[in-house]
Amino acid sequence: MEIMELFDESTMNIDLQGETKDQIIEEMVTLLDEGGVLADKEAYKKAIYAREEQSSTGLGFDIAIPHAKTAAVKTARVAFGKSDKGFDFGAEDGTKAHLIFMIAATDTDSNLHLQALATLSRNLIKADFRKKLLEAKTAGEVIEVLKTL
């Protein structure tokens, strides 16, 4: 599976409203649920929080990549969200996250979530790539930026 197959405009929100980690997680999980990705919204959310308890997925550099591999996911997808004001996602460098990628992987996907995580991380360390995502005004523009992955 190519990474671009994991993105869809229906699971993108370029104007996240949450101000806390919990509010952002709720918005992103709801986005995946409404996009038909989840078999069980609450079970997926629990899996996200279980992963967050291991260590924060706030990476610094304006980025958070919460992820979970669980039977609560029907179809693998990466949801994208953007917040102009930013929010604290527990990054070690103390910076606020403005870009969030929530990876939803089925429990039958062997290493899909790890491949997506690696590809995103490799590209998100590039300041120009992050800048283009931060400047995107529509989900379509986000897709165009992501096509360079």
Side-chain angles (χ1 to χ4, degrees), residues 29-81:
V29 170
T30 298
L31 194 59
L32 287 167
D33 190 47
E34 291 174 354
V37 174
L38 305 178
D40 186 332
K41 179 182 179 182
E42 291 308 310
Y44 178 73
K45 188 172 7 175
K46 285 181 185 178
I48 286 289
Y49 277 108
R51 172 58 187 86
E52 288 296 319
E53 286 176 17
Q54 294 173 6
S55 65
S56 176
T57 56
L59 305 181
F61 300 101
D62 299 324
I63 306 158
I65 309 179
H67 52 280
K69 179 179 174 179
T70 172
V73 175
K74 293 190 293 192
T75 306
R77 181 74 47 88
V78 179
F80 171 80

Side-chain angles (χ1 to χ4, degrees), residues 44-130:
Y44 178 73
K45 188 172 7 175
K46 285 181 185 178
I48 286 289
Y49 277 108
R51 172 58 187 86
E52 288 296 319
E53 286 176 17
Q54 294 173 6
S55 65
S56 176
T57 56
L59 305 181
F61 300 101
D62 299 324
I63 306 158
I65 309 179
H67 52 280
K69 179 179 174 179
T70 172
V73 175
K74 293 190 293 192
T75 306
R77 181 74 47 88
V78 179
F80 171 80
K82 184 175 84 160
S83 168
D84 289 335
K85 60 187 165 233
F87 49 90
D88 181 6
F89 216 83
E92 284 189 26
D93 67 0
T95 59
K96 289 185 175 183
H98 293 269
L99 302 171
I100 184 168
F101 292 86
M102 182 173 276
I103 302 172
T106 68
D107 61 347
T108 58
D109 289 324
S110 56
N111 290 319
L112 180 66
H113 70 295
L114 296 176
Q115 292 169 351
L117 188 58
T119 300
L120 286 169
S121 298
R122 208 173 28 254
N123 286 278
L124 288 166
I125 61 170
K126 300 173 188 171
D128 60 325
F129 185 77
R130 290 191 314 273

